[in-house]
Amino acid sequence: MTSAIATHSRRLPLGLSRIEGRGFLASVATLVSGQTVAAAIPILFAPILGRIYTPHDYGLLAAFIGIAVVLGAVGNWQYSQALLVETDEDRAARLVKTCFCTSLITAVASLAIASGLALIPSIASALGLWLFALPLMAFVSGMTSCLVAVATRRSDYRFVATMSAVAALASSVVSLYLGWMGYGFSGLAAGYLVMNLTQVLAFSYRHSSALAAIWRIPLGGAASLALSERKYPLFTAPGYIMRELAQGIPALSLNIVGASALAGQFSRAWTLLTLPINLVGISLSLVFQRAAARELQETGTCWPIYRKTTLALIVGALPCVILASWVAPAMFTFYLGPQWEDAGYMARLLAPMMYLRMIAGPIWPVFFLFRANTLEFAIAALQLALIAGGTALVIAFDRPPVWQIATFVVASSAISALQIYMTWRLARPASPNAHQTATDRQTEDHPSCKTT
C-alpha cells in the first residue's frame, strides 16, 4: 500500500516542493491587498443594504450563520490544520482524501440536525427551509478549508486573496438584488450561501489536481492517517465548535429573549468591525503558519518569527481600534442610516475585545505547530463555559439584554489574553538547548519530520 500511495502522491504534488523562499512580508502583502478589497466590498454595499434590510432581518441572519458556522467548524474535523503543517507529500495527499470523507460525513449528520431543528416551532418559523441548506454549508466549509490549505502549501496567495474579493462581491450583489425584490432575511441568507459556493467551486477548479487524491488514494491509506492524526478530531475540532458556539451565543440568546432587533444591531456591528480584522488576520495566520512550520522544521524553533509577528500586531492594531471606537457611533448612523445608531455604540463596546483578537488570531497556529491540541481544547471549553454561564446568569436575574453583550465582551477579552500568553509560553525557547529539544520533540511526535 505504501508504494501505491507514493505513486499516487507523485501524480498529486501538493506543492511543498514548490514553495520557494518567498518573503514573509511579500506573502502577507499579497493576501492583504486582495483581502482589503474583499473587506471593502461589503462596506461599500452597507449603506444600501442597511436601508433595504431591517435589524430584525440581520438578527435572523445572525442566528442562521451561528448554526451554519458551528457545523462548518466541524467540517473536515479540522484535518485541514494538519494539512497546513504537514511536511511529507504522501501524508499530505492522504489528508486531502481524509478531508473529503469527513466533510461528507459531517454533511450527512447535519441533515439529521436540520431535521431536528425543524421540529422546534420558533426556529422553524424563523429560518424555514433555510435549515435544510445547512448540510450543504457543512460540506462546502469542510472542502473550502481543505482547498485553502492546499493553495497555501502552493504559495498561491494571490488566488486566495482574489477569490475572497470575488466571493464578497457575489454575496453583496445577490443580497442587494434579493433585498430589492423584497425577500427580507432570505436575501441575506442566499448571499451568504452564494459566497461560500463561489469559493469552493473556484478553488476546486484551480486546484483540481489536489482533488485527484479523492479518487486515487486508497480509502485505507486515508483511514490509517486519520487515526494517526486523531488529535485533530478529538481536540481541535471540538475546540473550534466550542469557540463558534461561544461567539454565536449573543445572537441566539438575544433572539430567545425576544430582542431580535438588538441582536441585529449587535450582529451588524460585529460583522462590520470584524470584517477587515478577520480578513487581515486570516492572511497573517496562513502565511505565519507555513513560515513558522518551515522555521520550526529547519531550526527547531519558531521564536524569531513569532516574536516579530506578535510585536507588529501589538503596535499596528492599536491605532486601528482606537480610531474605530472613536468614530463608530457617528459613522454607523451616517453610513447605514438612523436605524443603526445603536450598532455604532455596540462597535465601541466591542473595540477592546477586537484589539486582543487582532493579536491572538494570527498567532493561534502555534498550538498546532507544537501539537498542543489538548491545551487549545481546554481554552475553548473555558471560553464556552464563561460566556454561556455569564449569559445564563444575566437571563436568570432578568437583567437588560445589553448585559448579555457586556458579559460576552469581558469573557472573550479574558480568553484572548490567555491565548496570547499561552502561545508565548509555547513558542519561547525554555533553555539554550531548546532548539534541539524542540526538534527532538517534533520528530518523536510526528514521524514525517524524521530526517535521514
Side-chain angles (χ1 to χ4, degrees), residues 154-169:
R154 294 177 170 180
S155 294
D156 196 7
Y157 299 122
R158 181 172 298 177
F159 186 76
V160 174
T162 301
M163 285 317 304
S164 296
V166 171
L169 179 61

Side-chain angles (χ1 to χ4, degrees), residues 213-409:
I214 297 172
W215 319 115
R216 295 176 179 174
I217 298 297
L219 184 59
S224 63
L225 180 59
L227 288 175
S228 69
E229 296 284 4
R230 57 185 175 274
K231 280 187 176 182
Y232 287 94
L234 291 178
F235 298 104
T236 303
Y240 265 79
I241 295 168
M242 287 187 291
R243 281 196 298 277
E244 297 299 343
L245 280 172
Q247 292 186 17
I249 283 176
L252 292 172
S253 62
L254 289 171
N255 275 286
I256 289 173
V257 299
S260 296
L262 183 60
Q265 299 279 0
F266 168 79
S267 173
R268 201 64 177 137
W270 173 272
T271 300
L272 293 179
L273 193 61
T274 60
L275 184 61
I277 293 173
N278 286 341
L279 290 175
V280 174
I282 291 171
S283 302
L284 282 169
S285 180
L286 287 172
V287 179
F288 170 79
Q289 188 163 352
R290 289 303 297 150
R294 290 196 299 270
E295 193 172 278
L296 185 62
Q297 183 190 20
E298 294 169 0
T299 68
T301 180
C302 63
W303 174 246
I305 193 171
Y306 172 87
R307 181 183 58 197
K308 292 177 183 177
T309 304
T310 304
L311 289 176
L313 289 168
I314 291 173
V315 175
L318 189 58
C320 302
V321 173
I322 292 175
L323 178 63
S325 62
W326 179 37
V327 304
M331 181 184 68
F332 273 72
T333 302
F334 171 78
Y335 200 62
L336 300 181
Q339 64 176 338
W340 295 101
E341 181 179 6
D342 289 343
Y345 291 102
M346 293 289 174
R348 179 174 286 177
L349 181 63
L350 292 169
M353 181 189 70
M354 289 297 102
Y355 175 64
L356 292 173
R357 282 173 59 93
M358 289 177 72
I359 302 170
I363 58 177
W364 181 266
V366 167
F367 288 104
F368 306 131
L369 295 173
F370 288 92
R371 302 296 191 269
N373 303 68
T374 54
L375 177 59
E376 182 210 14
F377 173 83
I379 293 175
L382 177 61
Q383 180 182 13
L384 179 60
L386 289 176
I387 295 176
T391 302
L393 287 175
V394 170
I395 296 175
F397 285 97
D398 197 25
R399 296 291 90 190
V402 71
W403 282 40
Q404 296 181 34
I405 300 174
T407 300
F408 171 77
V409 169

Side-chain angles (χ1 to χ4, degrees), residues 297 443 447-452:
Q297 183 190 20
T443 302
S448 69
C449 292
K450 293 181 179 178
T451 58
T452 58

Side-chain angles (χ1 to χ4, degrees), residues 152-196:
T152 303
R153 290 178 63 85
R154 294 177 170 180
S155 294
D156 196 7
Y157 299 122
R158 181 172 298 177
F159 186 76
V160 174
T162 301
M163 285 317 304
S164 296
V166 171
L169 179 61
S171 174
S172 297
V173 169
V174 169
S175 296
L176 178 61
Y177 176 74
L178 294 179
W180 178 68
M181 294 293 291
Y183 281 93
F185 154 71
S186 292
L188 294 172
Y192 182 74
L193 178 60
V194 166
M195 178 181 67
N196 286 273

